[in-house]
Structures are given as C-alpha cells and as structure tokens.
C-alpha cells in the first residue's frame, strides 16, 4: 500500500521502504525541469471536523512531541488559544472564537485547528527562490526541506493562509509537514492519532471526502443547513480539509479565508516580472557589449585638445592683462 | 558672474601641457567606488534570489543563507555612500533649459554630432537623468528592502504591504540595473570619461568637446593651476 489509509491503526510491523523520496516529487521550488515522477501515490488528506472538536489540544501536544519542538511558555491573556499564534515551534494551533449566531442569538464556541493546508497549488512553493527548499509529493504533501531554506521569508508572502514561520534562531521556515516522515512509513499524522473524538481523521483524499459527506448529512439533519466541506478551489483544493457547520462563512472561524488564492501581486512578481525582467536585463547587457565592441565610439579629436589649450591660454592672458 | 551650480571646489584646470581638468576629488572617487562595489554585489546577490537560473550566484557569498543575510547590509552601505555623493552633486544636476535642447537633439548625441548641440555645463541631461534615476530607485529599494528584511522587520508591516514591497523591490531592481548598464555603457562609449573616476581628471579636449560651458566657466573664473 503506497499511502496509509488511516491514522488510527498501529504502524505496520513488517519493514517497509520509505515512500516519500526524490522520485515522488511533483513540484520542487525554483526548479523548472523536474523529471516527472515514475509513479503516482494515492493522494492523502487530513479532515478536521470542527463540529466534533472539544478543544482539548491533544493534537498540539502530539505535534510538539512528534516534531520534538519546544514552544515558549507564554502568558495567559484571557483566551484559550495557546500559544498566541503559530510559531516555528508550534505547527498547529487551536484557534478559539466566541461567535454569536445572529439567527438564533446563541453563543457558539468555534474551535478551528489551524496549520498548513497543503494546497494543491502552493503559494509558498511558487514564491520560494531556493531550489528544493519546498517540495510537493505526488500524494499532495507540501514539505519544507530545511537544509535548502535560506530564510528569506518569501514563502510567508506567497501563502494565502499565513502559515510559515521563520525561526529567529536558525533562520529557516517551519510549518506542519502533515507528518510526512510518518506518512512515508505507513502511519497517519500524530495529531490525528492523538485526537480523542476523531475530529481529526486521515486517509486518502477520496475517503476523506466520503467521510465528510456523511458528517455533513448528519449536521444538516441537526439543523446546520449550511454545513459543508472546506476544500477551497482557489488553491486547487487542499490536503487538509475542514467540515464546517457554517461553510457559507468560513471567516467566522478565526479568519479562515472565504476564498483563498495566491495573491495577484505574488503572481505578477513570480510571473511576468521574473521573465520580462530577466529578458530586459539580458538584452540590455548584451546590446551594450555588442555595440561597445562593434559600434563607433565617441572619441575626443586632436582639435578638441588644441581648442582647450587655446582657451586656457587666452584666459591666462586675460588675467595677466587685468 | 552669478554663482554657478556647475563649479565645484575641486574643479580646476591644470595647465599642463597637456591641459587636464580636475573633475572629482579623492573623496568623491573613493565614495563612487564604494557605491559601485556595493551595487555590483547587490546585483549579484539580488539576482540570485530573483531567478532560479541565477541561484548559483549565492555561491559567491558563501551559500543562500549568507546571501540572504548579507544583501540587506550591503544595501544599507550603498544607501549611505550614495547619499553622501548625492548631497555633494545634486546642485550640479538640477535641470536647466539646455537639457531640454539636449533631449530634443538626442539623435545628434547618439551619432556623436556634439558640434550641433548647445554648450553643456558639468553634466548633460543624460548624466542628470542617471543621477536622479539612481537617487529615486535607491530610495524605493531601501524602503521596500527594509519592509521585506525578514530578519529584523519580518512582521513589522501587514502582509499586503510586504507583498507589494517585494514586487516593488524586484521591479525597481530591474530598472536600476538597466540604468546601471546605461551608465557604464555611456562612460565607456564616451572615450576618456573613465579617468575622471580613476585619476580624477579629464583631458582639456574632453572637457572642450563634451562640457564646454563648464570648461569656459572654469577658465573665466581663473580656476587655473600655475604652470608646472
């Protein structure tokens, strides 16, 4: 089996070959000619059902433990969200929102597990200038290869979800890996494995969509008419999806973008600017060199020197006369 | 005679023979080459992050991480050195009526028919264009560059501002490189110009041919060294 089908089961006991290797790359940052992969892995996805989340933060703990990160101890400022934001040491974060539903006047406590969405069309990868610092595997996982990262922060500008964080210690970008190192060995992501209510589930993207359909049908039957799947087409769909009970207004879940897409500014920067800019500079340089070699230079003539001598002499005479 | 913007303290005719004319003192020349070195280093390091086919240029700076770290600091040095230069030269680069005439006869300029042009002061319109263009783009580049200086100002501005800054920085960089190519090309095409920035002086004939008004002004004011 090329991709794990669930996060719940224990890992296979028989030895297996790591299945996320160079030959499984479909995109590689700052690399134009990437050989096509010789196989297609089954696309995977993580499905986060916000209606089943109890806000326990087991996912955060599991993430910290598996990735061996050490988020700073921060101060409690009166909200449940902790730490205050995603950091280079906290790849996933439960964002808590107290929202009053205008239709029912009920307070709804919305909890969204934030983190990398693993876009099919990743803005971070598009913006990245360093070859191989960001890669996308054929199973849909977008991963940062830290040894190639130069710390420029372009990925931050490319991302429509505000996910990557640059470490002030080693100046490299960090984010959720979708536990690529676990998935490569047949295991689901640590957060999904730890989730006590199965609000986070993992499997093939097709299976997750089917599962989402069941959940949405259930939510609709319980009065959430706008329940739906968040798999935004603006970024080609994502490999982390949400079941939202209010899918008509994703922004109420701690500013989840309603219609995320790569910023037009980034598209212009990484598109027309890059190509026409390079061409203009190359042509100008080549033209200057060619014209310099073969064109006629503007030379000072001997009579110019004579005229200058004469001018200076006359000026001297004038001064001596005065 | 009214005070002219064109004549600077070190501009002096040396009798020779042959006649030479001091154009840039040692301070200005040193500063010019500091600015020029910075610009070339910025061009190489910046281009490495501009297009993947040029990423290999990061090797010149000790890898991608070092390139990313050094590029902004070199920019700061360039900004400071250029604006010392700017403070010294801006008056001589103020536009005047002759400049419009010069631009209207750009064909004669390119074809080397300088005898058809009006007499020019210390700088012609082309040189002034490069001067002000450099000044403009250096300001745009330092401002947009600081906004996207991840290490210190990564989160100081909203994401939309940073996106616009990164695009502005790239476009301005391309334009200033085109200006730089024009500057270097013009200095080489107009033979006898480079020595103004190496030895600090030009020949009398060069001054007569290209900047006659300036030369006449120096002579008229008696800014002439005693014969050697």
């Amino acid at each position: 089996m090329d991709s794990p089908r669930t996060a719940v089961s224990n890992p296979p006991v028989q030895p297996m070959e790591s299945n996320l290797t160079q030959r499984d790359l479909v995109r590689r940052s700052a690399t134009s000619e990437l050989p096509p992969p010789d196989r297609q892995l089954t696309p995977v996805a993580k499905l986060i059902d916000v209606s089943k989340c109890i806000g326990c933060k087991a996912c955060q703990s599991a993430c910290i433990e598996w990735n061996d990160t050490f988020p700073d101890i921060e101060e409690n400022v009166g909200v449940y969200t902790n730490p205050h934001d995603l950091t280079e040491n906290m790849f996933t974060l439960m964002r808590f929102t107290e929202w009053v539903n205008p239709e029912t006047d009920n307070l709804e406590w919305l909890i969204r597990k934030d983190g990398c969405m693993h876009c099919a069309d990743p803005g971070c990868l598009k913006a990245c200038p360093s070859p191989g610092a960001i890669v996308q595997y054929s199973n849909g996982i977008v991963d940062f290869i830290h040894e190639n990262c130069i710390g420029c922060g372009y990925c931050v500008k490319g991302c429509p979800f505000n996910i990557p964080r640059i470490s002030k210690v080693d100046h490299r970008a960090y984010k959720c890996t979708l536990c690529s190192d676990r998935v490569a060995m047949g295991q689901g992501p640590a957060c999904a494995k730890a989730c006590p209510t199965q609000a986070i589930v993992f499997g093939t993207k097709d299976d997750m969509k089917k599962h989402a359909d069941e959940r949405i049908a259930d939510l609709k039957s319980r009065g959430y008419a706008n329940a739906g799947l968040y798999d935004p087409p603006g970024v080609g769909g994502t490999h982390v999806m949400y079941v939202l009970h209010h899918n008509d207004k994703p922004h109420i879940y701690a500013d989840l973008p309603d219609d995320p897409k790569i910023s037009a500014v980034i598209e212009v920067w990484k598109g027309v600017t890059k190509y026409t800019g390079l061409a203009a500079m190359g042509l100008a340089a080549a033209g200057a060199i060619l014209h310099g070699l073969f064109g006629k230079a503007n030379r000072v003539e001997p009579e110019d020197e004579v005229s200058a001598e004469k001018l200076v002499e006359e000026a001297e005479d004038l001064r001596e006369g005065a | 005679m009214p005070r002219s913007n064109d004549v600077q303290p070190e501009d002096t005719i040396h009798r020779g023979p042959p006649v030479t004319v001091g154009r840039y003192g040692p301070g200005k020349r040193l500063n010019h080459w500091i600015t020029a070195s910075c610009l070339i280093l910025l061009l190489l390091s910046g281009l490495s992050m501009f297009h993947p086919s040029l990423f290999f240029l990061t090797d010149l700076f000790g890898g991608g991480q070092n390139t990313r770290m050094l590029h902004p600091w070199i920019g700061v040095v360039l900004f400071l050195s250029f604006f010392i230069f700017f403070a010294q030269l801006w008056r001589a680069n103020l536009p005047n009526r002759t400049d419009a005439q010069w631009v209207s006869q750009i064909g004669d300029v390119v074809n080397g028919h300088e005898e058809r042009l009006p007499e020019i002061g210390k700088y012609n319109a082309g040189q002034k264009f490069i001067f002000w263009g450099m000044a403009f783009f250096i300001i745009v580049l330092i401002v947009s560059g600081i906004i996207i200086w991840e290490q210190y100002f990564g989160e100081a501005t909203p994401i939309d501002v940073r996106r616009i800054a990164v695009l502005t920085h790239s476009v301005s960089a391309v334009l200033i490189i085109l200006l730089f190519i024009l500057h270097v090309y013009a200095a080489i095409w107009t033979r006898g110009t480079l020595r103004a920035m190496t030895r600090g002086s030009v020949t009398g004939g060069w001054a007569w041919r290209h900047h006659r008004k300036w030369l006449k002004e120096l002579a008229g004011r008696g800014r002439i060294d005693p014969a050697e």
Side-chain angles (χ1 to χ4, degrees):
Chain A
M1 204 156 61
D2 67 346
S3 300
R5 299 309 198 238
T6 167
V8 181
S9 62
N10 282 324
V13 286
Q14 70 277 25
M16 68 174 281
E17 200 191 336
S18 169
N19 74 6
L20 293 180
T21 61
Q22 286 293 314
R23 68 194 177 116
D24 294 307
L25 299 186
V26 288
R27 280 201 183 99
R28 188 175 184 272
S29 57
T31 306
S32 51
E33 281 163 35
L34 185 69
D38 45 14
R39 60 173 177 182
Q40 168 66 49
L41 297 171
T42 311
V44 294
K46 182 161 77 183
L47 182 70
I48 302 166
D49 182 347
V50 300
S51 69
K52 281 169 86 174
C53 177
I54 57 170
C56 69
K57 300 179 187 170
C59 52
Q60 285 186 222
S61 299
C63 180
I64 290 168
E65 188 178 342
W66 177 258
N67 290 298
D68 201 19
T69 60
F70 295 85
D72 290 338
I73 307 290
E74 296 181 348
E75 239 165 76
N76 187 333
V77 294
V79 294
Y80 279 86
T81 308
N82 173 31
H84 71 288
D85 193 10
L86 293 170
T87 71
E88 62 273 24
N89 290 310
M90 190 72 259
F91 304 161
T92 190
L93 181 66
M94 322 222 54
R95 295 192 185 272
F96 294 78
T97 308
E98 292 167 19
W99 181 69
V100 178
N101 188 332
E103 284 162 30
T104 60
D105 206 32
N106 280 343
L107 179 86
E108 294 187 23
W109 204 23
L110 309 176
I111 310 166
R112 175 170 70 89
K113 177 189 176 297
D114 194 12
C116 177
M117 301 294 286
H118 297 270
C119 305
D121 183 15
C124 56
L125 193 151
K126 176 162 255 172
C128 179
S130 182
I134 305 181
V135 297
Q136 185 180 38
Y137 297 103
S138 62
N139 66 2
I141 293 181
V142 178
D143 218 355
F144 287 2
I145 309 298
H146 300 113
E147 67 203 47
N148 294 332
C149 176
I150 67 170
C152 62
Y154 288 1
C155 53
V156 178
K157 295 160 190 73
C159 177
F161 293 97
N162 184 22
I163 300 301
R165 295 291 183 270
I166 313 292
S167 165
K168 293 282 181 226
V169 178
D170 67 3
H171 305 289
R172 289 167 208 274
Y174 290 90
K175 70 162 187 72
C176 160
T177 64
L178 206 64
C179 282
S180 56
D181 48 350
R182 292 171 62 90
V183 172
M185 303 305 288
Q187 297 194 62
C191 57
K193 177 130 190 164
C195 181
T197 65
Q198 292 282 291
I200 309 169
V201 289
F202 178 86
T204 69
K205 183 153 178 175
D206 287 342
D207 286 351
M208 291 303 103
K209 279 181 170 172
K210 272 180 223 146
H211 180 67
D213 286 344
E214 291 165 24
R215 289 295 309 139
I216 291 160
D218 178 54
L219 285 168
K220 285 188 170 165
S221 76
R222 293 195 285 132
Y224 290 103
N226 295 316
L229 179 69
Y230 185 83
D231 180 21
V235 290
T238 53
H239 291 266
V240 171
M241 305 183 291
Y242 291 111
V243 170
L244 302 176
H245 21 29
H246 303 291
N247 197 39
D248 55 327
K249 37 183 174 293
H251 59 269
I252 63 170
Y253 300 89
D255 295 322
L256 181 64
D258 289 332
D259 180 21
K261 48 170 91 77
I262 300 174
S263 159
V265 177
I266 299 298
E267 299 279 9
V268 169
W269 170 45
K270 284 290 163 176
V272 65
T273 307
K274 194 165 82 170
Y275 300 111
T276 56
L278 192 69
M281 290 185 287
L283 286 174
I289 291 168
L290 284 175
H291 197 262
L293 287 175
F294 301 111
K296 186 167 161 286
N298 184 340
R299 285 176 205 283
V300 177
E301 305 293 340
E303 51 266 34
D304 292 324
E305 301 289 356
V306 174
S307 304
E309 307 261 340
K310 218 181 279 172
L311 175 78
V312 174
E313 261 165 48
E314 281 167 14
E316 286 281 79
D317 292 348
L318 212 66
R319 282 165 62 80
E320 274 160 26
Chain B
M1 195 185 274
R3 201 184 126 73
S4 167
N5 290 331
D6 273 358
V7 175
Q8 279 168 322
E10 67 267 39
D11 297 358
T12 317
I13 297 171
H14 306 281
R15 289 222 51 171
V19 171
T20 60
V21 190
R23 198 164 159 85
Y24 294 108
K28 284 196 183 110
R29 276 178 277 155
L30 178 69
N31 202 7
H32 172 268
W33 289 114
I34 291 173
T35 310
S37 311
C38 287
L39 196 146
I40 291 165
L41 292 173
L42 286 167
L43 180 151
L44 294 171
S45 54
L47 284 178
S48 77
M49 292 181 275
F50 177 68
H51 197 282
S53 66
L54 301 171
F55 189 79
F56 72 92
L57 293 170
T58 54
D59 290 346
L60 296 171
F61 301 87
Q65 282 272 337
N66 284 330
T67 308
R68 183 268 307 153
M69 181 274 285
L70 287 169
H71 181 90
W73 284 113
I74 303 170
V76 169
V77 175
L78 178 138
F79 176 75
L80 296 175
S81 67
F82 181 83
F83 276 90
I84 292 170
F85 207 59
F86 180 87
Q88 294 168 331
L89 294 180
W90 71 272
R91 271 178 204 283
N93 281 281
L94 290 173
N96 58 32
R97 269 186 207 168
T98 321
D99 296 329
Q101 183 67 25
W102 189 92
V103 172
S104 72
Q105 285 179 255
I106 192 74
D108 288 330
V109 176
V110 174
N111 293 313
H113 293 303
E114 277 168 272
E115 68 282 359
R116 297 183 196 162
L117 294 165
E119 294 184 359
I120 305 288
K122 183 158 184 174
Y123 296 110
N124 65 36
Q127 292 165 309
K128 289 176 185 178
F129 169 73
I130 288 180
F131 179 83
W132 290 106
M134 288 279 180
F136 174 77
F137 286 121
I138 286 170
I139 290 173
V140 173
L141 284 162
I142 191 89
V143 171
S144 59
I146 285 173
I147 292 171
I148 58 171
W149 195 347
E150 188 64 37
Q151 192 166 352
Y152 303 108
F153 304 98
E155 278 140 45
T157 52
I159 186 71
D160 292 335
V161 174
R162 278 179 277 160
R163 283 179 183 143
I164 291 167
V166 78
L167 175 63
T168 308
H169 199 76
S170 301
V171 173
S172 313
V174 169
L175 294 174
I176 204 171
I177 289 169
L178 294 178
L179 213 52
F180 167 74
I181 291 170
L182 182 65
H183 175 60
V184 174
Y185 179 77
I188 294 172
W189 178 69
T190 315
R191 297 290 196 270
T193 305
L194 288 179
R195 58 173 283 174
M197 270 304 167
T198 52
R199 280 178 273 178
S201 65
V202 290
T203 67
W206 186 93
W208 174 267
R209 183 177 175 87
H210 304 301
H211 298 279
R212 196 171 300 169
K213 187 161 159 251
W214 175 64
L215 180 67
K216 284 183 174 172
E217 208 168 330
L218 291 178
R221 292 188 186 201
R223 296 278 288 261
I224 304 174
D225 266 2
E228 278 161 29

